[in-house]
Amino acid sequence: MKKAILIFILIFCLISSATLHTSANASNVFLKNRSAGKKIALTFDDGPHPIYTGRILEVLEEYGVKATFFVIGCNVENYPDAFKELLDSGCEIGNHTYSHKDIGKMSEKDVLYQLEKTEEAVSKFTDQKLSLCRPPEGSCGKALEAVSIEKGYDIILWSIDTLDWAHTPSERIANKILDSTCGGDIVLMHDYVSGGCQAPDALRIIIPKLLDEGYEFVTVSELIGEE
């Protein structure tokens, strides 16, 4: 019985890690950058959201912190005011596909559609070119790898998953980050979570404590650009 349980756990871990790290050896795929000293990149997926994106931006502005938001194209179209607020904040924008589908299993044609459809939505508000892509669920595949190279995207995964998408209480989110953060980490959070977003409250705990410990919050581009 114990042997069967151990085998199950091993298989589960292998499947989980395979999804996240399929293309992790490619030169344009990043989970962290340990060469960045005590710099950390906060990232937020699935927005913009008409309420929570703004609340997160308020906390970031209060502490003078910039972050990277990976937006979904259809949400950019559905919540233009929230997206404009995000642009005005000076935070970095990344591509999180148009409809949040599993692009790890798509053809190059379909991956290209998902990325370019989001670029089209974003281009209605700004002329800045998107250069960062985060695949939904971290699902990478050969098609995404090929398309990202063709279009000049860096694929951004993460080294810390806060599990805020699972409605984890803000105190537990904060404790996880504070207990496990190292310089060069890319932290995964969300500004769009159905049923409520704990990120704003968690940030009010996380940011001042890490600043006191000498950490610096930067955008993903700044983090991966460190040698």
Side-chain angles (χ1 to χ4, degrees):
M1 182 65 178
K2 290 183 178 179
K3 183 178 180 180
I5 293 174
L6 288 172
I7 292 173
F8 174 80
I9 292 173
L10 177 61
I11 292 173
F12 176 81
C13 291
L14 287 172
I15 292 173
S16 298
S17 62
T19 300
L20 183 59
H21 302 293
T22 299
S23 301
N25 292 325
S27 61
N28 68 327
V29 179
F30 298 88
L31 297 89
K32 57 184 177 294
N33 180 13
R34 294 297 182 225
S35 299
K38 296 194 73 171
K39 295 182 179 179
I40 303 169
L42 295 175
T43 67
F44 300 89
D45 285 10
D46 296 358
H49 185 277
I51 297 174
Y52 295 116
T53 300
R55 290 184 181 175
I56 289 170
L57 291 174
E58 286 178 7
V59 181
L60 297 180
E61 182 179 4
E62 180 179 340
Y63 292 99
V65 167
K66 298 299 181 187
T68 302
F69 289 74
F70 289 92
V71 299
I72 295 175
C74 65
N75 284 342
V76 171
E77 294 175 343
N78 291 334
Y79 306 111
D81 290 341
F83 185 63
K84 290 175 185 176
E85 186 176 3
L86 179 53
L87 288 175
D88 291 343
S89 74
C91 286
E92 186 171 43
I93 309 297
N95 194 325
H96 198 41
T97 75
Y98 183 76
S99 55
H100 203 267
K101 293 181 179 179
D102 184 355
I103 59 176
K105 300 177 181 178
M106 290 184 182
S107 66
E108 289 187 22
K109 178 181 178 181
D110 290 338
V111 170
L112 190 62
Y113 172 83
Q114 286 287 325
L115 296 181
E116 290 187 340
K117 189 73 172 173
T118 299
E119 292 172 357
E120 181 182 332
V122 168
S123 69
K124 297 174 183 176
F125 303 94
T126 177
D127 58 1
Q128 67 176 272
K129 184 181 183 299
L130 301 181
S131 61
L132 305 176
C133 167
R134 172 168 284 164
E137 313 299 336
S139 181
C140 296
K142 294 297 183 182
L144 172 59
E145 188 175 321
V147 170
S148 68
I149 292 173
E150 174 190 339
K151 291 188 62 65
Y153 274 102
D154 285 321
I155 299 173
I156 308 301
L157 301 180
W158 56 86
S159 51
I160 296 179
D161 182 353
T162 62
L163 302 180
D164 61 343
W165 50 268
H167 302 289
T168 304
S170 57
E171 294 84 0
R172 286 176 58 188
I173 294 172
N175 288 337
K176 179 171 185 176
I177 294 177
L178 294 172
D179 290 342
S180 57
T181 292
C182 294
D185 275 328
I186 296 176
V187 181
L188 171 65
M189 303 183 80
H190 296 77
D191 55 331
Y192 199 133
V193 179
S194 296
C197 177
Q198 301 299 318
D201 291 338
L203 290 172
R204 290 194 180 279
I205 302 171
I206 297 161
I207 294 177
K209 288 188 176 182
L210 289 180
L211 288 174
D212 286 344
E213 292 178 15
Y215 285 97
E216 178 184 356
F217 293 94
V218 297
T219 65
V220 166
S221 290
E222 290 171 329
L223 186 80
I224 64 177
E226 292 285 342
E227 296 296 333

